[in-house]
């Protein structure tokens, strides 16, 4: 029985902990905050309940596999999953609106044709077909295997972009923005695609064409909501860990990984206490200060992308009045000037016209009674640092801008507000320790590997990386996959190549 110390209680780290415990190891999780879940948080106010992190689940097979491999009760026996249909309503700057059905390629095409004009559905379907090719080409090495020693092969973009005649020569789209302009050929379809990238914290102007995998995953495997809020999923994972005898120590900040004889040998906590371990799993954003000699990055180093990673600005609204019967769970209100928004978000400024997501779950657990409603507004923003999100005036102005724009999705919104709670990257940084309150994006192939994350193996033997800041990146599904990969590497050795 090996002693394993896990740093952080995010969902990816807990996924690794549960699997390692089932394999017969003694696992202890050290979490700096007072609770589990990492970015999958919850805010409660006078009977209203809000998710402060992800609001929907995509690719639920990852969580299903975790529960199958770690106990008798399935995921569906531990939480109630419901498909969100329509998957989302999109409001564009020109006043056009379209509701896209959940996991129905033909239904999406029909909806786009009806709302945007004949041919729009065909262009989007053609794009998704190419995205499927990219998925088939990259799925295993990008998502289901530890980062390969020859990870440079992932530097090639798997998206089969159409050849375009541009400026007297043939070109192919290399970025999300170019796909929108050259292949989708409609400003609203381009905004639809940009919105997917932006929601994951990716700059459409520079994100490789392989980011097409993100809308492909959502529209193929569906969008799912966990009754009671996404925090219920984190609770279920935590309880599965406890059932497998994983020990949790909350309020325990790890200041460094202890090294002995050239291997990870435990963790040092604030105050100097040392907890010995045979192996250590780092489930938080890796940085040199945690590891002796700065031996953090994967044994087969990947390029570290320059520039700050954006965070999320969340406005939680307690509303009087019942949710109307035909209300949509998720509405995306697209920016009137996407280029200016992207320049602001990734240039360290506050966007004047942000793209925002409005979540209105039809869930009695989120409201005190049927005469009230809980609504969450979310936008991708520059991190804390470039923008001072602790400034009350800055916070309030941006929150007011979101509420004003959300009125297009929620009838009579401003007059219905009973209470407003604001959460910015500053709060995310304080609660999770992520620098700037940044939220990790998923790993992508292409761009010479600039969108890959550090591998799960590190230069220090016995130290492994799990969670959204490691391969294969951020998001509930990707972080869960990282836990699977770390458990495989620990149990089967460094030669583990993923489950088949």
């Amino acid at each position: 029985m090996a002693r394993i110390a896990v740093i952080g209680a995010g969902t990816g780290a807990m996924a690794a902990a549960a699997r390692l415990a089932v394999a017969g190891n003694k696992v202890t999780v050290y979490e700096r905050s007072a609770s589990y879940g990492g970015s999958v948080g919850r805010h409660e106010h006078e009977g209203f309940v809000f998710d402060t992190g992800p609001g929907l689940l995509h690719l639920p097979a990852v969580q299903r596999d975790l529960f199958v491999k770690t106990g008798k009760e399935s995921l569906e026996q531990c939480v109630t999953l419901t498909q969100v249909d329509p998957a989302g309503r999109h409001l564009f700057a020109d006043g056009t609106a379209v509701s896209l059905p959940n996991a129905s390629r033909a239904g999406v095409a029909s909806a786009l044709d009806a709302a945007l004009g004949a041919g729009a559905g065909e262009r989007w379907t053609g794009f998704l077909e190419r995205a499927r090719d990219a998925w088939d080409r990259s799925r295993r090495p990008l998502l289901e295997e530890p980062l390969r020693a020859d990870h440079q092969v992932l530097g090639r973009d798997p998206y089969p972009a159409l050849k375009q005649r541009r400026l007297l020569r043939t070109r192919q789209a290399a970025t999300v923005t170019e796909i929108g302009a050259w292949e989708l050929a409609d400003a609203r379809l381009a905004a639809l695609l940009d919105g997917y990238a932006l929601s994951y914290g990716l700059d459409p102007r520079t994100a490789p064409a392989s980011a097409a995998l993100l809308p492909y995953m959502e529209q193929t495997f569906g969008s799912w909501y966990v009754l009671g809020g996404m925090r219920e999923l984190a609770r279920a994972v935590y309880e599965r860990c406890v059932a497998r005898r994983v020990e949790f120590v909350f309020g325990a900040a790890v200041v460094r990984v202890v090294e002995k004889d050239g291997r990870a040998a435990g963790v040092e906590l604030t105050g100097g206490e040392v907890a010995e371990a045979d192996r250590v799993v780092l489930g938080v954003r890796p940085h040199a200060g945690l590891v002796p000699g700065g031996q953090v990055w994967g044994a087969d180093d990947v390029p570290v992308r320059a520039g700050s990673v954006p965070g999320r600005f969340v406005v939680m609204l307690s509303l009087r009045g019942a949710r109307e019967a035909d209300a949509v769970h998720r509405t995306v209100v697209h920016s009137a000037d996407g280029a200016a928004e992207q320049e602001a978000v990734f240039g360290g400024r506050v966007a004047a016209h942000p793209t925002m997501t409005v979540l209105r779950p039809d869930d009695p657990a989120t409201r005190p009674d049927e005469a009230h409603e809980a609504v969450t507004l979310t936008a991708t923003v520059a991190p804390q640092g470039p923008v001072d999100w602790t400034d009350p005036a800055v916070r309030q102005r941006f929150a007011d801008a979101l509420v004003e724009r959300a009125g297009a999705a929620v009838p009579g919104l401003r007059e219905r507000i009973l209470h407003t709670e604001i959460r910015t990257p500053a709060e995310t940084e304080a609660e999770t320790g992520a620098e700037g309150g940044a939220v990790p994006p998923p790993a992508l192939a292409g761009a010479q590997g600039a969108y890959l994350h550090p591998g799960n193996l590190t230069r220090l033997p016995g130290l492994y990386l799990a969670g959204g800041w490691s391969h294969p990146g951020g998001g509930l599904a990707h972080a869960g996959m990282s836990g699977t990969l770390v458990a495989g590497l620990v149990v089967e050795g460094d030669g583990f190549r993923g489950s088949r």
Side-chain angles (χ1 to χ4, degrees):
M1 175 188 291
R3 298 167 302 172
I4 299 177
V6 178
I7 304 173
T11 54
M14 289 196 294
R19 290 175 182 271
L20 289 168
V22 166
N25 299 291
K26 179 177 174 54
V27 183
T28 304
V29 177
Y30 298 91
E31 168 56 45
R32 68 191 295 272
S33 71
S35 187
Y36 55 83
S39 64
V40 187
R42 168 182 285 167
H43 174 74
E44 300 183 30
H45 176 78
E46 297 183 352
F48 293 92
V49 176
F50 307 88
D51 286 319
T52 60
L56 291 172
L57 177 65
H58 307 292
L59 209 61
V62 174
Q63 279 73 28
R64 289 189 177 116
D65 183 68
L66 170 64
F67 279 78
V68 166
K69 299 294 176 56
T70 60
K72 295 180 179 179
E73 301 86 8
S74 68
L75 174 64
E76 280 80 358
Q77 289 175 291
C78 299
V79 297
T80 301
L81 281 178
T82 60
Q83 276 196 301
V84 176
D85 203 6
R89 183 170 181 246
H90 295 264
L91 304 179
F92 299 104
D94 67 350
T96 305
V98 59
S99 292
L100 302 181
N102 198 347
S104 170
R105 189 80 55 84
V108 167
S110 296
L112 290 173
D113 277 341
L116 309 186
E122 182 179 4
R123 289 194 299 277
W124 184 260
T125 298
F127 157 70
L128 285 184
E129 289 294 330
R130 294 186 290 279
R132 182 188 65 184
D133 290 345
W135 170 266
D136 290 341
R137 294 174 182 179
S138 61
R139 174 179 57 85
R140 184 160 183 80
L142 183 67
L143 302 177
E144 298 177 353
E145 295 179 348
L147 197 64
R148 295 162 47 169
D150 62 341
H151 63 78
Q152 291 82 2
V153 300
L154 289 172
R156 296 192 293 268
D157 200 313
Y159 179 78
L162 297 178
K163 293 182 178 180
Q164 308 282 334
R165 190 70 174 171
R166 299 279 163 181
L167 299 177
L168 303 180
R169 63 192 180 100
T170 300
R171 295 188 63 185
Q172 292 175 281
T175 66
V176 169
T177 293
E178 289 176 347
I179 291 175
W182 299 354
E183 297 184 5
L184 298 178
D186 183 295
R188 295 159 299 184
L189 290 179
L192 178 62
L193 177 57
D194 283 356
Y196 279 105
L198 195 61
S199 70
Y200 284 92
L202 297 165
D203 185 347
R205 301 168 302 171
T206 57
S210 64
L213 295 180
L214 303 176
Y216 172 80
M217 284 195 303
E218 290 196 22
Q219 294 194 9
T220 300
F221 304 111
S223 297
W224 300 77
Y225 174 70
V226 179
L227 201 66
M230 294 303 296
R231 176 70 176 176
E232 286 299 293
L233 177 62
R235 175 198 57 76
V237 176
Y238 167 73
E239 290 181 353
R240 177 55 52 92
C241 285
V242 172
R244 301 284 80 81
R245 301 184 184 279
V246 174
E247 180 182 357
F248 285 81
V249 184
F250 295 108
V254 173
V255 296
R256 71 180 180 95
V257 174
V258 175
E259 178 187 0
K260 183 178 180 180
D261 299 327
R263 291 185 56 84
V267 297
E268 180 183 340
L269 307 177
T270 302
E273 178 187 354
V274 173
E276 296 182 349
D278 301 302
R279 293 178 176 83
V280 177
V281 177
L282 184 59
V284 298
R285 189 173 190 176
H287 60 85
L290 270 175
V291 183
Q295 300 176 89
V296 174
W297 308 114
D300 300 298
D301 290 343
V302 301
V304 179
R305 188 154 48 96
S308 58
V309 178
R312 304 294 185 270
F313 191 104
V314 182
V315 180
M316 293 162 277
L317 301 173
S318 303
L319 304 184
R320 64 169 62 87
R323 179 184 188 273
E324 58 269 25
D326 60 350
V328 175
H329 187 115
R330 174 173 62 170
T331 299
V332 180
V333 183
H334 292 272
S335 173
D337 191 341
E341 176 189 20
Q342 294 154 26
E343 183 67 30
V345 171
F346 297 96
R349 302 191 307 279
V350 179
H353 302 285
T355 297
M356 58 174 296
T357 299
V358 181
L359 293 180
R360 307 179 65 189
D362 186 11
D363 183 354
T366 65
R367 54 194 182 236
D369 53 51
E370 294 303 310
H372 294 85
E373 181 182 8
V375 172
T376 304
L377 317 179
T378 306
T380 297
V381 296
Q384 169 68 14
V387 174
D388 182 6
W389 291 114
T390 66
D391 185 325
V394 173
R395 295 161 63 96
Q396 193 59 55
R397 279 198 302 269
F398 195 74
D400 287 343
L402 293 187
V403 170
E404 184 67 27
R405 291 172 57 73
V410 184
L413 174 61
R414 191 171 289 280
E415 294 73 24
R416 296 175 58 195
I417 296 175
L418 293 170
H419 180 78
T420 301
E421 192 73 28
I422 299 172
R423 180 185 173 89
T424 77
E427 282 76 34
T428 303
E429 180 178 52
E431 293 177 14
T432 69
E435 183 180 355
V439 178
L444 298 173
Q448 290 74 54
Y451 287 79
L452 298 176
H453 289 260
N456 310 106
L457 286 172
T458 72
R459 292 181 181 180
L460 182 64
L463 176 65
Y464 304 83
L465 303 184
W469 293 107
S470 65
H471 179 75
L476 286 170
H478 291 70
M481 292 176 196
S482 78
T484 302
L485 297 177
V486 165
L489 288 166
V490 172
V491 173
E492 299 188 25
D494 292 357
F496 172 72
R497 298 314 309 158
S499 302
R500 295 184 182 273

